[in-house]
Amino acid sequence: MIESILWIVLAYFIGAIPSGYIIGRVFYGVNLKKVGSGNIGATNAYRELGVKAGLAVFICDFMKGFIAVHLGMPDPVIVLLCAVFAIIGNDWSVFLHFKSGKGVACGVGAFTYICAPAVLAAFLVWLAIFKWKHIVSLGSILAAPVVPLVMLIEGEPLEYVAFGALAAVIVIGKHKDNIGRLLRGEEKPITREKR
């Protein structure tokens, strides 16, 4: 029990590592919290720093979720708790006064470990929406519910499906400002890299 708690706590701190903030400050001399949308995720890194920065942030956040889930093996309950706490750490990082990312890349990493087909389906939905509207947030919002749906279709344990649903709610909830801008027609599409 003590060991499991330690893995869960470690998963939170892995998720809480502010990848975008570190990459922006160390390699570009830019505080992503003070430019663009003020978010330290891959999308804002892409907009403000270019494609290489955006990809680097995405990969780092992806690996946080992937590694955190691995910590919980082989117990499926601990796997889920590690995944949840990694996403919570990513979204509410203790290192940034509990204000950080939106959990998309971290969640993708966690779910890739748990159920790769669900992630692939969600990615295809995201890609279709992005190609259509060039708006990352819209793709993320619409792709998030695809994960638990595909997990249910694939016959994954109900605990995993429930986790997928919870993660989708968290992702969508973290996009509340984007949803407001989408409804007002103010959300900016990505059309080109800056650098």
Side-chain angles (χ1 to χ4, degrees):
M1 176 63 73
I2 298 299
E3 183 178 354
S4 297
I5 293 174
L6 288 175
W7 290 134
I8 294 167
V9 172
L10 180 58
Y12 169 83
F13 281 101
I14 289 173
I17 296 170
S19 308
Y21 179 82
I22 293 170
I23 289 171
R25 291 301 295 266
V26 173
F27 296 101
Y28 296 88
V30 174
N31 183 351
L32 285 175
K33 291 175 66 66
K34 295 183 178 180
V35 296
S37 67
N39 189 272
I40 65 168
T43 301
N44 197 39
Y46 176 91
R47 284 198 183 105
E48 299 301 320
L49 305 176
V51 65
K52 291 181 181 179
L55 183 60
V57 173
F58 181 88
I59 291 172
C60 288
D61 285 349
F62 176 96
M63 291 307 300
K64 291 192 302 184
F66 193 89
I67 292 169
V69 170
H70 179 71
L71 293 176
M73 293 296 290
D75 188 327
V77 174
I78 305 304
V79 164
L80 291 179
L81 288 173
C82 284
V84 169
F85 275 82
I87 294 172
I88 289 173
N90 184 88
D91 292 2
W92 294 280
S93 173
V94 66
F95 302 117
L96 293 178
H97 307 291
F98 303 101
K99 294 179 180 179
S100 44
K102 294 180 178 177
V104 176
C106 187
V108 169
F111 281 108
T112 297
Y113 195 100
I114 293 171
C115 183
V119 173
L120 177 60
F123 171 73
L124 292 175
V125 170
W126 178 89
L127 185 62
I129 298 298
F130 180 73
K131 289 290 187 180
W132 177 38
K133 290 291 187 179
H134 300 285
I135 298 177
V136 172
S137 60
L138 180 61
S140 299
I141 292 164
L142 295 179
V146 172
V147 172
L149 178 60
V150 172
M151 292 174 81
L152 183 63
I153 294 171
E154 286 281 305
E156 294 289 340
L158 288 179
E159 293 87 349
Y160 285 1
V161 177
F163 168 59
L166 174 62
V169 169
I170 292 175
V171 168
I172 294 171
K174 290 291 286 185
H175 282 84
K176 63 181 184 300
D177 292 338
N178 303 85
I179 292 172
R181 289 193 293 270
L182 285 166
L183 292 174
R184 296 191 300 270
E186 298 172 356
E187 187 76 332
K188 295 179 180 179
I190 289 181
T191 55
R192 62 182 177 85
E193 61 173 286
K194 288 192 65 175
R195 299 177 186 176

